[in-house]
Amino acid sequence: MFQQILLAVDGSGRSREMLNMLLTLPSIQNSQINVLHVIPNSTNSEGITEYRLAGEKIIEREIKSLRLSSGNSTVSLLKEGEAKDVVCKVAEELKANLLIMGSRGMGRLQAILANSVSQYVFQLSDVPMLLIKDDVYIKTIRSIMVSVDGSVASNHSLDLAIKLASGAKDVEIFLARVVKRKDENTASTDPVLVEASAKLKRLNIPSRSFVGSGDVGKELVRLADESNASILLVGSPDRRPSIARSLPDLDRLLGSSVSDYVRVNATVPVLLTRTIE
């Protein structure tokens, strides 16, 4: 199901720790793991040699620390250039099903000013992207929380959660629904939750539903934290015209999107999916 996984490593081990948790899932146990480390361009051969040697050691250490099954294979990718551009390019070339990388969890303006790699990739890549902030606790995968609202983007996110959970006996999918008012709907009456729950029941995937009200981003962060979710999965619609696909999404850049708020504030790893509308 996940034929190509791109693991971007910087030597901290955070993205590899997350992948080790995912490797317990049946859906990941036949994947090719592409381990990418990017070194900066250097003006002299001595500098390049030093960067390359250090980069090779990082990749070797990360691969040795992966808890691989017999069905997994690994590919080492040591590239030169701007990390943010290289990650996007490699993800596209591989047609990766999943990109895993670390994030400092900076706010939008701070991230832009600091030339954040994860923020840039978040803006431009169409690959599902699992971000692990430096300050989040990486848990054993027992639950995958999905934000559902009936949109194309949320339906796509639910399908991805189903793929992840497929074949896993002890993984639940948590359905998170945020409504405008507390008395608007309940888990048993909300049509979006009822439909999503029925879909999971047909697939024999255990699920629970959670309802919040008010600001969507804040409520998703709260629900994920209070339910002790292992991962929070959020869909992000891409409304840019095709001619502007290589340019940043202004909603994301200016921080007006739910996914940007969740990316910065969630207390669990965040898996962001993108859907063209």
Side-chain angles (χ1 to χ4, degrees), residues 42-57:
S42 180
T43 56
N44 60 77
S45 58
E46 184 177 336
I48 282 291
T49 300
E50 290 180 1
Y51 283 133
R52 279 197 161 275
L53 289 174
E56 288 168 359
K57 288 180 180 178

Side-chain angles (χ1 to χ4, degrees), residues 11-260:
S12 69
R14 296 293 285 165
S15 55
R16 179 249 305 154
E17 288 175 33
M18 185 71 245
L19 177 56
N20 273 336
M21 294 299 185
L22 291 174
L23 282 167
T24 63
L25 301 177
S27 58
I28 304 293
Q29 290 175 4
N30 290 301
S31 303
Q32 176 174 296
I33 313 299
N34 302 276
V35 183
L36 170 66
H37 180 70
V38 184
I39 60 175
N41 290 319
S42 180
T43 56
N44 60 77
S45 58
E46 184 177 336
I48 282 291
T49 300
E50 290 180 1
Y51 283 133
R52 279 197 161 275
L53 289 174
E56 288 168 359
K57 288 180 180 178
I58 288 173
I59 292 177
E60 182 182 6
R61 182 171 67 247
E62 297 291 341
I63 290 178
K64 281 184 177 180
S65 299
L66 288 172
R67 296 194 285 268
L68 303 171
S69 69
S70 59
N72 292 128
S73 60
T74 60
V75 175
S76 300
L77 298 171
L78 183 63
K79 302 286 186 179
E80 297 174 27
E82 281 286 342
K84 56 188 182 181
D85 296 320
V86 174
V87 172
C88 286
K89 182 179 179 182
V90 172
E92 182 180 357
E93 289 174 348
L94 288 172
K95 294 181 173 57
N97 307 112
L98 181 64
L99 164 62
I100 306 173
M101 66 186 304
S103 168
R104 286 173 286 175
M106 294 183 294
R108 54 192 178 274
L109 182 57
Q110 184 185 7
I112 293 166
L113 294 175
N115 201 25
S116 166
V117 175
S118 61
Q119 168 69 353
Y120 183 93
V121 177
F122 170 63
Q123 293 285 330
L124 296 179
S125 179
D126 293 329
V127 174
M129 181 179 182
L130 180 52
L131 291 174
I132 305 92
K133 291 193 301 180
D134 293 340
D135 59 349
V136 304
Y137 179 69
I138 301 173
K139 311 178 184 79
T140 301
I141 309 300
R142 292 285 180 263
S143 56
I144 302 170
M145 176 166 276
V146 187
S147 170
V148 293
D149 59 15
S151 67
V152 173
S154 77
N155 290 338
H156 179 64
S157 292
L158 180 57
D159 288 341
L160 184 62
I162 290 170
K163 288 180 182 178
L164 275 173
S166 180
K169 296 179 180 179
D170 55 354
V171 175
E172 286 184 282
I173 290 182
F174 291 170
L175 301 170
R177 176 81 164 117
V178 180
V179 295
K180 292 181 180 179
R181 300 186 311 273
K182 285 186 178 181
D183 59 347
E184 189 170 2
N185 275 316
T186 65
S188 60
T189 62
D190 183 90
V192 172
L193 285 174
V194 170
E195 182 179 351
S197 297
K199 181 175 184 178
L200 295 174
K201 187 175 182 180
R202 289 194 300 271
L203 296 169
N204 295 316
I205 297 176
S207 68
R208 278 188 268 171
S209 296
F210 298 82
V211 179
S213 62
D215 183 272
V216 178
K218 291 180 180 179
E219 281 298 287
L220 288 176
V221 169
R222 181 185 67 82
L223 291 172
D225 186 49
E226 293 183 359
S227 66
N228 197 32
S230 306
I231 298 174
L232 174 57
L233 211 161
V234 179
S236 179
D238 186 354
R239 300 186 179 92
R240 295 170 299 169
S242 57
I243 195 172
R245 290 275 149 72
S246 61
L247 302 174
D249 184 325
L250 285 180
D251 284 345
R252 293 180 174 199
L253 192 63
L254 298 176
S256 57
S257 71
V258 170
S259 55
D260 190 81

